[in-house]
Amino acid sequence: MNVLIIGAGGREHALALKIKESPRLNNLYIMPGNPGTRFLGENIQINVSDHPKIIEFCKQRNIDLVVIGPEQPLVEGLADILRENGINVFGPNKEAAQIESSKHFAKKVMKEAEVPTAKYLPFTSNMFEPAKEYIRTKKYPCVIKVDGLAAGKGVFVCQNSQEAEEALNLIFHDKFFKESGEKVLVEEFLTGEEVSVFAICDGNDFVCLPASQTTKG
């Protein structure tokens, strides 16, 4: 098999390490890759948002499988475009990727599936005054989350209404997170261990991976 991995980070490096071990592998490409992945396969310097060039590359190199690591290409619909061109891809379509790209969407999915989650209220950028009024009534600490992708930087744990208003100013007025900050969620603060559980599914069956935890210093 000829395999293309999309991405440049540690996640994609780990994927490359394991895929390299497969006896079914013929050629491994990483787009764009990093200095370490060049020892595992061939780094390809094509912008991962340039969908026509990616399709052209896949057809030229007879790619059998594309594995997409980062969230942004999934949110941009790369998996959909690959499938439309008859290319096998590991990664959710654009609609399903909203679970990662919109915290409000993820909350609605959890509510419909009766998955326990923190109570919240959404506010858009044109609702700055109502948002300020609301945070004055909140029990603290509370949490303000940018709705869109923010590279892990869009969460504010606020100890009082002043800190909450500063966070709203940064998001709505200063546009620090650009379009990702056009909506926020004001959530109740929960304590405890955070654990992620991932499942790989094909629409009918699923396999759960081991639980994992991100530790931030």
Side-chain angles (χ1 to χ4, degrees), residues 14-185:
L15 288 167
L17 278 169
K18 298 307 294 182
I19 291 173
K20 185 70 174 177
E21 295 175 2
S22 173
R24 300 177 62 186
L25 180 70
N26 293 324
N27 297 294
L28 178 61
Y29 305 96
I30 309 95
M31 185 184 296
N34 60 51
T37 57
R38 68 186 178 90
F39 297 105
L40 303 170
E42 183 181 346
N43 287 349
I44 304 297
Q45 298 308 309
I46 294 176
N47 190 313
V48 297
S49 295
D50 193 337
H51 296 168
K53 281 192 177 180
I54 293 173
I55 298 301
E56 181 183 1
F57 174 85
C58 289
K59 291 180 177 179
Q60 286 178 345
R61 301 295 180 97
N62 297 313
I63 299 298
D64 298 294
L65 174 66
V66 178
V67 180
I68 304 176
E71 295 90 351
Q72 193 63 45
L74 295 169
V75 171
E76 293 174 353
L78 178 57
D80 306 66
I81 293 169
L82 288 165
R83 292 187 177 105
E84 288 168 7
N85 282 270
I87 300 166
N88 294 317
V89 56
F90 179 84
N93 62 22
K94 185 176 183 177
E95 185 177 10
Q98 290 180 88
I99 285 181
E100 187 68 27
S101 67
S102 171
K103 295 176 182 65
H104 192 201
F105 178 86
K107 285 284 193 180
K108 289 189 287 186
V109 170
M110 285 186 278
K111 185 176 181 180
E112 290 178 11
E114 298 183 351
V115 175
T117 185
K119 295 177 183 177
Y120 72 99
L121 199 64
F123 293 92
T124 56
S125 58
N126 62 353
M127 300 171 66
F128 182 64
E129 291 303 322
K132 283 201 301 183
E133 290 297 321
Y134 180 69
I135 61 175
R136 289 171 186 150
T137 69
K138 286 293 294 177
K139 178 182 177 182
Y140 286 87
C142 81
V143 180
I144 296 178
K145 293 182 178 180
V146 170
D147 180 59
L149 292 175
K153 308 296 183 185
V155 177
F156 299 83
V157 179
C158 306
Q159 301 299 325
N160 50 58
S161 60
Q162 180 180 343
E163 288 186 7
E165 187 169 337
E166 288 172 356
L168 290 175
N169 268 312
L170 184 70
I171 298 166
F172 285 159
H173 280 180
D174 298 343
K175 303 293 183 183
F176 186 81
F177 298 97
K178 300 179 180 178
E179 61 272 9
S180 291
E182 286 301 304
K183 180 187 290 184
V184 300
L185 303 185

